[in-house]
Amino acid sequence: MQVSVDLARCQSYGQCVFAAPEIFELVGGPEILEYDSAPQERLRLHAERARAACPVQAITIGPAAGPQRDRQPK
Ligand code: SF4
């Protein structure tokens, strides 16, 4: 799974940290969001909760990045 956060939009509200502390963390002061951009698939539900909880819709979730395979006609 791929997770990305639009840090220009993020306001460090921290809702994602409460929803998915395995993925998101606020560090420093002023607090800055750090996150795992490729968390394990088993954390998808937590990631989805974080995306839903973000008040500025800064979180995007996609499938895991992997090698592209071209399909050849048979
Ligand atoms: S909930 Fe949204 S705005 Fe708040 S820290 Fe997370 S990504 Fe940033």
Side-chain angles (χ1 to χ4, degrees):
M1 162 176 55
Q2 286 289 112
V3 172
S4 63
V5 177
D6 182 346
L7 293 176
R9 186 178 280 202
C10 173
Q11 298 294 315
S12 299
Y13 291 125
Q15 301 301 323
C16 57
V17 179
F18 290 112
E22 310 90 340
I23 301 172
F24 301 95
E25 182 181 15
L26 284 172
V27 296
E31 293 181 315
I32 296 173
L33 184 68
E34 290 188 352
Y35 64 99
D36 181 356
S37 63
Q40 295 180 10
E41 189 60 34
R42 66 180 177 82
L43 296 173
R44 179 171 287 274
L45 182 59
H46 290 194
E48 295 285 359
R49 284 184 184 150
R51 177 172 63 177
C54 178
V56 294
Q57 291 85 46
I59 301 171
T60 304
I61 300 170
Q68 299 277 329
R69 289 188 187 157
D70 292 328
R71 288 196 171 175
Q72 299 293 329
K74 291 185 179 180

Short mmCIF file of all heavy atoms in Angstrom, two decimals:
data_model
loop_
_atom_site.label_atom_id
_atom_site.label_comp_id
_atom_site.label_asym_id
_atom_site.label_seq_id
_atom_site.Cartn_x
_atom_site.Cartn_y
_atom_site.Cartn_z
N MET A 1 0.84 -1.18 0.00
CA MET A 1 0.00 0.00 0.00
C MET A 1 0.89 1.23 0.00
O MET A 1 1.93 1.27 0.63
CB MET A 1 -0.89 -0.07 1.25
CG MET A 1 -1.53 1.22 1.67
SD MET A 1 -2.64 1.04 3.08
CE MET A 1 -1.62 0.30 4.32
N GLN A 2 0.47 2.21 -0.76
CA GLN A 2 1.18 3.49 -0.81
C GLN A 2 0.38 4.55 -0.07
O GLN A 2 -0.82 4.69 -0.30
CB GLN A 2 1.37 3.93 -2.25
CG GLN A 2 2.43 3.15 -3.01
CD GLN A 2 3.82 3.46 -2.54
OE1 GLN A 2 4.47 2.62 -1.95
NE2 GLN A 2 4.29 4.66 -2.76
N VAL A 3 1.02 5.30 0.80
CA VAL A 3 0.40 6.41 1.52
C VAL A 3 1.17 7.67 1.19
O VAL A 3 2.40 7.68 1.20
CB VAL A 3 0.41 6.17 3.04
CG1 VAL A 3 -0.06 7.40 3.79
CG2 VAL A 3 -0.46 4.97 3.40
N SER A 4 0.44 8.72 0.86
CA SER A 4 1.10 10.00 0.67
C SER A 4 0.27 11.09 1.34
O SER A 4 -0.94 10.99 1.46
CB SER A 4 1.32 10.31 -0.81
OG SER A 4 0.09 10.43 -1.47
N VAL A 5 0.96 12.11 1.78
CA VAL A 5 0.32 13.24 2.45
C VAL A 5 0.75 14.52 1.75
O VAL A 5 1.95 14.74 1.52
CB VAL A 5 0.72 13.31 3.94
CG1 VAL A 5 0.08 14.53 4.60
CG2 VAL A 5 0.29 12.04 4.67
N ASP A 6 -0.21 15.34 1.40
CA ASP A 6 0.08 16.66 0.84
C ASP A 6 0.48 17.56 2.00
O ASP A 6 -0.37 18.10 2.72
CB ASP A 6 -1.16 17.19 0.12
CG ASP A 6 -0.91 18.54 -0.53
OD1 ASP A 6 0.11 19.18 -0.22
OD2 ASP A 6 -1.76 18.96 -1.33
N LEU A 7 1.79 17.70 2.21
CA LEU A 7 2.28 18.43 3.38
C LEU A 7 2.02 19.93 3.25
O LEU A 7 2.06 20.65 4.25
CB LEU A 7 3.77 18.15 3.59
CG LEU A 7 4.07 16.69 4.00
CD1 LEU A 7 5.57 16.47 4.09
CD2 LEU A 7 3.40 16.33 5.32
N ALA A 8 1.74 20.41 2.04
CA ALA A 8 1.37 21.82 1.88
C ALA A 8 -0.03 22.06 2.43
O ALA A 8 -0.37 23.17 2.83
CB ALA A 8 1.44 22.20 0.41
N ARG A 9 -0.82 20.99 2.43
CA ARG A 9 -2.20 21.09 2.92
C ARG A 9 -2.29 20.75 4.40
O ARG A 9 -3.15 21.28 5.12
CB ARG A 9 -3.06 20.13 2.10
CG ARG A 9 -4.52 20.21 2.39
CD ARG A 9 -5.29 19.26 1.52
NE ARG A 9 -5.48 19.78 0.19
CZ ARG A 9 -6.43 19.39 -0.64
NH1 ARG A 9 -7.26 18.44 -0.28
NH2 ARG A 9 -6.55 19.92 -1.82
N CYS A 10 -1.42 19.84 4.88
CA CYS A 10 -1.45 19.36 6.27
C CYS A 10 -1.29 20.52 7.25
O CYS A 10 -0.41 21.36 7.10
CB CYS A 10 -0.33 18.35 6.47
SG CYS A 10 -0.12 17.82 8.18
N GLN A 11 -2.14 20.53 8.26
CA GLN A 11 -2.11 21.58 9.29
C GLN A 11 -1.66 21.02 10.64
O GLN A 11 -1.84 21.67 11.68
CB GLN A 11 -3.49 22.21 9.42
CG GLN A 11 -3.97 22.89 8.16
CD GLN A 11 -3.13 24.10 7.79
OE1 GLN A 11 -2.79 24.92 8.62
NE2 GLN A 11 -2.74 24.19 6.51
N SER A 12 -1.11 19.80 10.65
CA SER A 12 -0.61 19.16 11.88
C SER A 12 -1.68 19.05 12.95
O SER A 12 -1.41 19.18 14.14
CB SER A 12 0.61 19.91 12.42
OG SER A 12 1.66 19.91 11.49
N TYR A 13 -2.89 18.74 12.54
CA TYR A 13 -3.98 18.54 13.50
C TYR A 13 -3.78 17.26 14.30
O TYR A 13 -4.28 17.14 15.42
CB TYR A 13 -5.33 18.50 12.80
CG TYR A 13 -5.77 19.80 12.22
CD1 TYR A 13 -6.11 19.90 10.87
CD2 TYR A 13 -5.87 20.96 13.00
CE1 TYR A 13 -6.53 21.09 10.32
CE2 TYR A 13 -6.28 22.15 12.44
CZ TYR A 13 -6.61 22.23 11.11
OH TYR A 13 -7.02 23.40 10.56
N GLY A 14 -3.13 16.28 13.70
CA GLY A 14 -2.82 15.05 14.42
C GLY A 14 -3.91 14.00 14.45
O GLY A 14 -3.75 12.97 15.09
N GLN A 15 -5.00 14.21 13.73
CA GLN A 15 -6.07 13.20 13.74
C GLN A 15 -5.58 11.88 13.16
O GLN A 15 -5.97 10.80 13.62
CB GLN A 15 -7.28 13.71 12.95
CG GLN A 15 -7.87 15.00 13.49
CD GLN A 15 -8.32 14.89 14.92
OE1 GLN A 15 -8.83 13.86 15.34
NE2 GLN A 15 -8.10 15.93 15.69
N CYS A 16 -4.72 11.95 12.16
CA CYS A 16 -4.20 10.73 11.55
C CYS A 16 -3.32 9.95 12.53
O CYS A 16 -3.28 8.73 12.49
CB CYS A 16 -3.42 11.06 10.29
SG CYS A 16 -2.05 12.21 10.56
N VAL A 17 -2.64 10.67 13.41
CA VAL A 17 -1.78 10.01 14.40
C VAL A 17 -2.62 9.19 15.37
O VAL A 17 -2.27 8.06 15.72
CB VAL A 17 -0.93 11.05 15.15
CG1 VAL A 17 -0.05 10.38 16.20
CG2 VAL A 17 -0.09 11.86 14.17
N PHE A 18 -3.76 9.74 15.76
CA PHE A 18 -4.65 8.99 16.66
C PHE A 18 -5.25 7.79 15.94
O PHE A 18 -5.42 6.73 16.53
CB PHE A 18 -5.77 9.90 17.17
CG PHE A 18 -5.28 10.95 18.14
CD1 PHE A 18 -5.29 12.28 17.79
CD2 PHE A 18 -4.81 10.59 19.40
CE1 PHE A 18 -4.83 13.26 18.67
CE2 PHE A 18 -4.35 11.56 20.29
CZ PHE A 18 -4.36 12.89 19.92
N ALA A 19 -5.57 7.94 14.66
CA ALA A 19 -6.22 6.87 13.90
C ALA A 19 -5.25 5.76 13.51
O ALA A 19 -5.64 4.60 13.45
CB ALA A 19 -6.87 7.45 12.65
N ALA A 20 -4.00 6.12 13.25
CA ALA A 20 -3.03 5.13 12.76
C ALA A 20 -1.62 5.47 13.25
O ALA A 20 -0.76 5.90 12.48
CB ALA A 20 -3.06 5.06 11.24
N PRO A 21 -1.37 5.29 14.55
CA PRO A 21 -0.05 5.64 15.10
C PRO A 21 1.08 4.79 14.54
O PRO A 21 2.24 5.17 14.64
CB PRO A 21 -0.23 5.42 16.61
CG PRO A 21 -1.38 4.49 16.74
CD PRO A 21 -2.29 4.78 15.58
N GLU A 22 0.73 3.64 13.92
CA GLU A 22 1.77 2.80 13.30
C GLU A 22 2.31 3.45 12.03
O GLU A 22 3.38 3.08 11.54
CB GLU A 22 1.20 1.43 12.93
CG GLU A 22 0.44 0.73 14.03
CD GLU A 22 -1.06 1.08 14.02
OE1 GLU A 22 -1.44 2.11 13.44
OE2 GLU A 22 -1.82 0.31 14.63
N ILE A 23 1.55 4.39 11.48
CA ILE A 23 1.91 4.98 10.19
C ILE A 23 2.33 6.45 10.34
O ILE A 23 3.28 6.89 9.70
CB ILE A 23 0.73 4.88 9.20
CG1 ILE A 23 0.33 3.42 9.00
CG2 ILE A 23 1.08 5.53 7.86
CD1 ILE A 23 -0.95 3.23 8.20
N PHE A 24 1.61 7.19 11.19
CA PHE A 24 1.81 8.64 11.27
C PHE A 24 2.37 9.03 12.63
O PHE A 24 2.03 8.45 13.65
CB PHE A 24 0.47 9.36 11.06
CG PHE A 24 -0.18 9.06 9.74
CD1 PHE A 24 -1.14 8.06 9.64
CD2 PHE A 24 0.16 9.75 8.59
CE1 PHE A 24 -1.75 7.76 8.44
CE2 PHE A 24 -0.44 9.47 7.38
CZ PHE A 24 -1.39 8.47 7.30
N GLU A 25 3.21 10.08 12.60
CA GLU A 25 3.80 10.58 13.84
C GLU A 25 4.06 12.07 13.69
O GLU A 25 4.49 12.54 12.63
CB GLU A 25 5.12 9.85 14.10
CG GLU A 25 5.81 10.26 15.38
CD GLU A 25 7.14 9.52 15.60
OE1 GLU A 25 7.65 8.91 14.63
OE2 GLU A 25 7.64 9.55 16.71
N LEU A 26 3.78 12.82 14.74
CA LEU A 26 4.12 14.24 14.77
C LEU A 26 5.40 14.39 15.57
O LEU A 26 5.50 13.90 16.70
CB LEU A 26 2.99 15.06 15.40
CG LEU A 26 1.77 15.28 14.51
CD1 LEU A 26 0.64 15.93 15.31
CD2 LEU A 26 2.10 16.14 13.29
N VAL A 27 6.40 15.05 14.99
CA VAL A 27 7.70 15.18 15.65
C VAL A 27 8.12 16.65 15.69
O VAL A 27 7.73 17.45 14.83
CB VAL A 27 8.79 14.35 14.92
CG1 VAL A 27 8.47 12.86 15.00
CG2 VAL A 27 8.94 14.78 13.48
N GLY A 28 8.91 16.95 16.70
CA GLY A 28 9.50 18.28 16.80
C GLY A 28 8.52 19.31 17.35
O GLY A 28 7.39 19.02 17.69
N GLY A 29 9.01 20.50 17.46
CA GLY A 29 8.16 21.61 17.90
C GLY A 29 8.66 22.88 17.22
O GLY A 29 9.73 23.34 17.60
N PRO A 30 8.04 23.42 16.22
CA PRO A 30 6.68 23.09 15.80
C PRO A 30 6.58 21.67 15.21
O PRO A 30 7.52 21.19 14.58
CB PRO A 30 6.36 24.13 14.71
CG PRO A 30 7.70 24.52 14.17
CD PRO A 30 8.65 24.42 15.34
N GLU A 31 5.46 21.03 15.49
CA GLU A 31 5.29 19.65 15.09
C GLU A 31 5.16 19.51 13.58
O GLU A 31 4.43 20.26 12.94
CB GLU A 31 4.06 19.05 15.78
CG GLU A 31 4.27 18.94 17.28
CD GLU A 31 3.09 18.33 17.98
OE1 GLU A 31 1.95 18.72 17.66
OE2 GLU A 31 3.31 17.47 18.84
N ILE A 32 5.88 18.54 13.06
CA ILE A 32 5.86 18.22 11.63
C ILE A 32 5.47 16.76 11.48
O ILE A 32 5.93 15.90 12.25
CB ILE A 32 7.25 18.47 10.99
CG1 ILE A 32 7.59 19.97 11.09
CG2 ILE A 32 7.28 18.00 9.55
CD1 ILE A 32 9.00 20.31 10.66
N LEU A 33 4.64 16.49 10.50
CA LEU A 33 4.16 15.12 10.30
C LEU A 33 5.22 14.29 9.58
O LEU A 33 5.74 14.70 8.55
CB LEU A 33 2.87 15.13 9.46
CG LEU A 33 2.23 13.77 9.26
CD1 LEU A 33 1.68 13.23 10.58
CD2 LEU A 33 1.14 13.84 8.21
N GLU A 34 5.51 13.12 10.15
CA GLU A 34 6.31 12.12 9.47
C GLU A 34 5.44 10.89 9.33
O GLU A 34 4.60 10.62 10.19
CB GLU A 34 7.59 11.79 10.26
CG GLU A 34 8.58 12.93 10.26
CD GLU A 34 9.91 12.55 10.87
OE1 GLU A 34 10.03 11.44 11.43
OE2 GLU A 34 10.83 13.38 10.78
N TYR A 35 5.66 10.14 8.25
CA TYR A 35 4.81 8.97 8.03
C TYR A 35 5.52 7.92 7.20
O TYR A 35 6.48 8.21 6.47
CB TYR A 35 3.49 9.38 7.36
CG TYR A 35 3.65 9.97 5.99
CD1 TYR A 35 3.43 9.19 4.85
CD2 TYR A 35 4.00 11.30 5.80
CE1 TYR A 35 3.57 9.72 3.58
CE2 TYR A 35 4.15 11.84 4.54
CZ TYR A 35 3.93 11.05 3.43
OH TYR A 35 4.07 11.57 2.17
N ASP A 36 5.04 6.68 7.34
CA ASP A 36 5.53 5.57 6.55
C ASP A 36 4.78 5.59 5.22
O ASP A 36 3.57 5.40 5.20
CB ASP A 36 5.26 4.27 7.32
CG ASP A 36 5.76 3.04 6.59
OD1 ASP A 36 6.25 3.16 5.45
OD2 ASP A 36 5.63 1.94 7.17
N SER A 37 5.48 5.80 4.14
CA SER A 37 4.82 5.91 2.83
C SER A 37 4.49 4.55 2.21
O SER A 37 3.79 4.49 1.21
CB SER A 37 5.70 6.71 1.87
OG SER A 37 6.92 6.05 1.65
N ALA A 38 5.00 3.47 2.81
CA ALA A 38 4.72 2.14 2.27
C ALA A 38 4.43 1.16 3.41
O ALA A 38 5.15 0.19 3.61
CB ALA A 38 5.90 1.65 1.42
N PRO A 39 3.36 1.40 4.17
CA PRO A 39 3.05 0.51 5.29
C PRO A 39 2.54 -0.84 4.80
O PRO A 39 2.10 -0.99 3.66
CB PRO A 39 1.96 1.26 6.05
CG PRO A 39 1.32 2.14 5.05
CD PRO A 39 2.40 2.51 4.07
N GLN A 40 2.59 -1.82 5.70
CA GLN A 40 2.12 -3.16 5.36
C GLN A 40 0.62 -3.14 5.08
O GLN A 40 -0.13 -2.37 5.68
CB GLN A 40 2.42 -4.13 6.50
CG GLN A 40 3.90 -4.33 6.73
CD GLN A 40 4.17 -5.30 7.86
OE1 GLN A 40 3.27 -5.97 8.37
NE2 GLN A 40 5.42 -5.37 8.27
N GLU A 41 0.20 -4.03 4.20
CA GLU A 41 -1.19 -4.09 3.78
C GLU A 41 -2.13 -4.33 4.96
O GLU A 41 -3.26 -3.86 4.97
CB GLU A 41 -1.36 -5.20 2.74
CG GLU A 41 -2.70 -5.23 2.06
CD GLU A 41 -3.05 -3.95 1.30
OE1 GLU A 41 -2.13 -3.31 0.75
OE2 GLU A 41 -4.24 -3.60 1.29
N ARG A 42 -1.66 -5.02 5.99
CA ARG A 42 -2.52 -5.31 7.14
C ARG A 42 -2.94 -4.03 7.88
O ARG A 42 -3.87 -4.06 8.69
CB ARG A 42 -1.81 -6.27 8.11
CG ARG A 42 -0.58 -5.68 8.76
CD ARG A 42 0.09 -6.66 9.71
NE ARG A 42 1.30 -6.11 10.27
CZ ARG A 42 1.33 -5.27 11.31
NH1 ARG A 42 0.21 -4.92 11.90
NH2 ARG A 42 2.48 -4.80 11.75
N LEU A 43 -2.28 -2.91 7.59
CA LEU A 43 -2.62 -1.64 8.24
C LEU A 43 -3.58 -0.80 7.41
O LEU A 43 -3.84 0.36 7.73
CB LEU A 43 -1.34 -0.84 8.53
CG LEU A 43 -0.38 -1.49 9.52
CD1 LEU A 43 0.91 -0.68 9.60
CD2 LEU A 43 -1.02 -1.59 10.91
N ARG A 44 -4.13 -1.39 6.35
CA ARG A 44 -4.98 -0.60 5.44
C ARG A 44 -6.17 0.01 6.16
O ARG A 44 -6.52 1.17 5.94
CB ARG A 44 -5.44 -1.44 4.26
CG ARG A 44 -6.35 -0.66 3.30
CD ARG A 44 -6.63 -1.44 2.05
NE ARG A 44 -5.49 -1.50 1.16
CZ ARG A 44 -5.19 -0.57 0.25
NH1 ARG A 44 -5.96 0.50 0.12
NH2 ARG A 44 -4.14 -0.70 -0.52
N LEU A 45 -6.83 -0.76 7.04
CA LEU A 45 -8.01 -0.22 7.72
C LEU A 45 -7.63 1.00 8.55
O LEU A 45 -8.36 2.01 8.56
CB LEU A 45 -8.64 -1.30 8.61
CG LEU A 45 -9.91 -0.88 9.35
CD1 LEU A 45 -10.99 -0.45 8.37
CD2 LEU A 45 -10.41 -2.02 10.23
N HIS A 46 -6.49 0.95 9.24
CA HIS A 46 -6.04 2.10 10.02
C HIS A 46 -5.74 3.29 9.11
O HIS A 46 -6.07 4.43 9.42
CB HIS A 46 -4.80 1.74 10.83
CG HIS A 46 -5.09 0.79 11.95
ND1 HIS A 46 -4.19 0.55 12.96
CD2 HIS A 46 -6.17 0.03 12.23
CE1 HIS A 46 -4.71 -0.31 13.82
NE2 HIS A 46 -5.91 -0.65 13.37
N ALA A 47 -5.10 3.01 7.98
CA ALA A 47 -4.79 4.08 7.03
C ALA A 47 -6.07 4.72 6.50
O ALA A 47 -6.15 5.94 6.36
CB ALA A 47 -3.95 3.53 5.87
N GLU A 48 -7.07 3.89 6.21
CA GLU A 48 -8.35 4.42 5.71
C GLU A 48 -9.02 5.27 6.78
O GLU A 48 -9.63 6.30 6.47
CB GLU A 48 -9.27 3.27 5.29
CG GLU A 48 -8.76 2.46 4.11
CD GLU A 48 -8.90 3.17 2.77
OE1 GLU A 48 -9.42 4.29 2.73
OE2 GLU A 48 -8.47 2.58 1.76
N ARG A 49 -8.91 4.85 8.03
CA ARG A 49 -9.47 5.65 9.12
C ARG A 49 -8.76 7.00 9.22
O ARG A 49 -9.39 8.03 9.45
CB ARG A 49 -9.34 4.91 10.45
CG ARG A 49 -10.33 3.79 10.62
CD ARG A 49 -10.20 3.17 11.99
NE ARG A 49 -11.07 2.03 12.13
CZ ARG A 49 -10.83 0.98 12.90
NH1 ARG A 49 -9.74 0.96 13.63
NH2 ARG A 49 -11.68 -0.01 12.97
N ALA A 50 -7.46 6.99 9.05
CA ALA A 50 -6.69 8.23 9.11
C ALA A 50 -7.10 9.16 7.97
O ALA A 50 -7.28 10.37 8.17
CB ALA A 50 -5.20 7.93 9.04
N ARG A 51 -7.25 8.59 6.78
CA ARG A 51 -7.66 9.41 5.64
C ARG A 51 -9.03 10.05 5.91
O ARG A 51 -9.24 11.24 5.64
CB ARG A 51 -7.72 8.58 4.37
CG ARG A 51 -8.22 9.39 3.18
CD ARG A 51 -8.11 8.66 1.88
NE ARG A 51 -8.94 7.46 1.86
CZ ARG A 51 -9.07 6.67 0.81
NH1 ARG A 51 -8.39 6.93 -0.29
NH2 ARG A 51 -9.82 5.60 0.85
N ALA A 52 -9.94 9.26 6.46
CA ALA A 52 -11.29 9.78 6.74
C ALA A 52 -11.26 10.83 7.84
O ALA A 52 -12.08 11.75 7.86
CB ALA A 52 -12.22 8.63 7.12
N ALA A 53 -10.31 10.70 8.77
CA ALA A 53 -10.27 11.61 9.92
C ALA A 53 -9.59 12.94 9.60
O ALA A 53 -9.79 13.92 10.31
CB ALA A 53 -9.53 10.93 11.08
N CYS A 54 -8.79 12.98 8.55
CA CYS A 54 -8.04 14.21 8.24
C CYS A 54 -9.00 15.33 7.86
O CYS A 54 -9.73 15.22 6.88
CB CYS A 54 -7.05 13.95 7.12
SG CYS A 54 -6.14 15.45 6.67
N PRO A 55 -8.99 16.43 8.59
CA PRO A 55 -9.95 17.50 8.32
C PRO A 55 -9.67 18.29 7.05
O PRO A 55 -10.54 19.04 6.60
CB PRO A 55 -9.84 18.40 9.56
CG PRO A 55 -8.54 18.08 10.18
CD PRO A 55 -8.19 16.68 9.79
N VAL A 56 -8.50 18.12 6.47
CA VAL A 56 -8.19 18.87 5.24
C VAL A 56 -7.96 17.95 4.03
O VAL A 56 -7.44 18.37 3.00
CB VAL A 56 -6.96 19.80 5.45
CG1 VAL A 56 -7.28 20.89 6.46
CG2 VAL A 56 -5.73 19.00 5.88
N GLN A 57 -8.34 16.68 4.17
CA GLN A 57 -8.24 15.68 3.08
C GLN A 57 -6.84 15.69 2.45
O GLN A 57 -6.70 15.74 1.22
CB GLN A 57 -9.30 15.94 2.00
CG GLN A 57 -10.72 15.66 2.45
CD GLN A 57 -11.35 16.83 3.18
OE1 GLN A 57 -11.25 17.95 2.72
NE2 GLN A 57 -11.99 16.59 4.31
N ALA A 58 -5.83 15.61 3.31
CA ALA A 58 -4.45 15.67 2.81
C ALA A 58 -3.86 14.28 2.51
O ALA A 58 -2.80 14.18 1.94
CB ALA A 58 -3.57 16.37 3.84
N ILE A 59 -4.58 13.22 2.92
CA ILE A 59 -4.02 11.86 2.84
C ILE A 59 -4.57 11.13 1.62
O ILE A 59 -5.78 11.10 1.39
CB ILE A 59 -4.33 11.07 4.12
CG1 ILE A 59 -3.73 11.79 5.33
CG2 ILE A 59 -3.80 9.63 4.01
CD1 ILE A 59 -4.15 11.21 6.66
N THR A 60 -3.67 10.52 0.85
CA THR A 60 -4.04 9.70 -0.30
C THR A 60 -3.50 8.29 -0.09
O THR A 60 -2.37 8.13 0.35
CB THR A 60 -3.44 10.28 -1.60
OG1 THR A 60 -3.86 11.64 -1.73
CG2 THR A 60 -3.88 9.49 -2.81
N ILE A 61 -4.33 7.30 -0.41
CA ILE A 61 -3.93 5.90 -0.25
C ILE A 61 -4.09 5.20 -1.59
O ILE A 61 -5.11 5.35 -2.26
CB ILE A 61 -4.80 5.19 0.80
CG1 ILE A 61 -4.64 5.88 2.16
CG2 ILE A 61 -4.42 3.71 0.90
CD1 ILE A 61 -5.64 5.42 3.18
N GLY A 62 -3.07 4.43 -1.96
CA GLY A 62 -3.13 3.70 -3.21
C GLY A 62 -2.58 2.30 -3.05
O GLY A 62 -2.14 1.92 -1.95
N PRO A 63 -2.62 1.52 -4.11
CA PRO A 63 -2.05 0.17 -4.05
C PRO A 63 -0.54 0.24 -3.93
O PRO A 63 0.08 1.27 -4.18
CB PRO A 63 -2.49 -0.45 -5.38
CG PRO A 63 -2.68 0.72 -6.29
CD PRO A 63 -3.14 1.86 -5.42
N ALA A 64 0.04 -0.89 -3.56
CA ALA A 64 1.49 -0.96 -3.44
C ALA A 64 2.13 -0.73 -4.79
O ALA A 64 1.63 -1.19 -5.82
CB ALA A 64 1.91 -2.32 -2.89
N ALA A 65 3.22 0.01 -4.78
CA ALA A 65 3.96 0.21 -6.02
C ALA A 65 4.70 -1.08 -6.35
O ALA A 65 5.23 -1.74 -5.48
CB ALA A 65 4.96 1.36 -5.86
N GLY A 66 4.67 -1.45 -7.58
CA GLY A 66 5.35 -2.68 -7.96
C GLY A 66 5.76 -2.62 -9.41
O GLY A 66 5.45 -1.65 -10.10
N PRO A 67 6.43 -3.66 -9.87
CA PRO A 67 6.86 -3.65 -11.27
C PRO A 67 5.66 -3.69 -12.20
O PRO A 67 4.70 -4.41 -11.96
CB PRO A 67 7.71 -4.91 -11.39
CG PRO A 67 7.32 -5.76 -10.23
CD PRO A 67 6.84 -4.84 -9.16
N GLN A 68 5.70 -2.89 -13.24
CA GLN A 68 4.64 -2.88 -14.23
C GLN A 68 4.84 -4.06 -15.17
O GLN A 68 5.94 -4.33 -15.61
CB GLN A 68 4.69 -1.57 -15.03
CG GLN A 68 4.49 -0.35 -14.20
CD GLN A 68 3.01 -0.07 -13.98
OE1 GLN A 68 2.20 -0.38 -14.83
NE2 GLN A 68 2.69 0.52 -12.85
N ARG A 69 3.78 -4.75 -15.47
CA ARG A 69 3.87 -5.86 -16.42
C ARG A 69 2.98 -5.56 -17.61
O ARG A 69 1.80 -5.28 -17.45
CB ARG A 69 3.41 -7.16 -15.77
CG ARG A 69 4.38 -7.66 -14.74
CD ARG A 69 3.98 -9.04 -14.28
NE ARG A 69 4.84 -9.43 -13.18
CZ ARG A 69 4.51 -10.33 -12.28
NH1 ARG A 69 3.36 -10.94 -12.34
NH2 ARG A 69 5.34 -10.64 -11.31
N ASP A 70 3.58 -5.64 -18.74
CA ASP A 70 2.80 -5.46 -19.96
C ASP A 70 2.10 -6.76 -20.30
O ASP A 70 2.68 -7.83 -20.19
CB ASP A 70 3.72 -5.05 -21.12
CG ASP A 70 4.28 -3.67 -20.91
OD1 ASP A 70 3.59 -2.84 -20.29
OD2 ASP A 70 5.40 -3.44 -21.35
N ARG A 71 0.86 -6.66 -20.69
CA ARG A 71 0.13 -7.85 -21.10
C ARG A 71 0.32 -8.07 -22.59
O ARG A 71 0.09 -7.17 -23.38
CB ARG A 71 -1.35 -7.73 -20.78
CG ARG A 71 -1.60 -7.82 -19.31
CD ARG A 71 -3.06 -8.07 -19.07
NE ARG A 71 -3.26 -8.37 -17.64
CZ ARG A 71 -4.44 -8.53 -17.13
NH1 ARG A 71 -5.51 -8.45 -17.87
NH2 ARG A 71 -4.58 -8.80 -15.85
N GLN A 72 0.70 -9.25 -22.94
CA GLN A 72 0.89 -9.59 -24.34
C GLN A 72 -0.33 -10.36 -24.82
O GLN A 72 -0.79 -11.27 -24.15
CB GLN A 72 2.14 -10.47 -24.53
CG GLN A 72 3.42 -9.79 -24.10
CD GLN A 72 3.77 -8.63 -25.01
OE1 GLN A 72 3.46 -8.63 -26.19
NE2 GLN A 72 4.40 -7.62 -24.43
N PRO A 73 -0.88 -10.01 -25.99
CA PRO A 73 -2.01 -10.80 -26.51
C PRO A 73 -1.56 -12.21 -26.84
O PRO A 73 -0.43 -12.42 -27.28
CB PRO A 73 -2.42 -10.03 -27.77
CG PRO A 73 -1.26 -9.16 -28.11
CD PRO A 73 -0.49 -8.92 -26.85
N LYS A 74 -2.45 -13.20 -26.59
CA LYS A 74 -2.10 -14.60 -26.87
C LYS A 74 -2.31 -14.94 -28.32
O LYS A 74 -3.13 -14.40 -28.98
CB LYS A 74 -2.95 -15.53 -26.00
CG LYS A 74 -2.56 -15.42 -24.55
CD LYS A 74 -3.32 -16.43 -23.71
CE LYS A 74 -2.90 -16.32 -22.26
NZ LYS A 74 -3.60 -17.25 -21.40
S1 SF4 B 1 -4.88 14.60 10.12
FE1 SF4 B 1 -4.38 15.60 8.15
S2 SF4 B 1 -3.86 17.69 8.72
FE2 SF4 B 1 -3.76 16.46 10.58
S3 SF4 B 1 -1.62 15.81 10.77
FE3 SF4 B 1 -2.72 14.21 9.69
S4 SF4 B 1 -2.45 14.70 7.50
FE4 SF4 B 1 -1.96 16.53 8.66
#
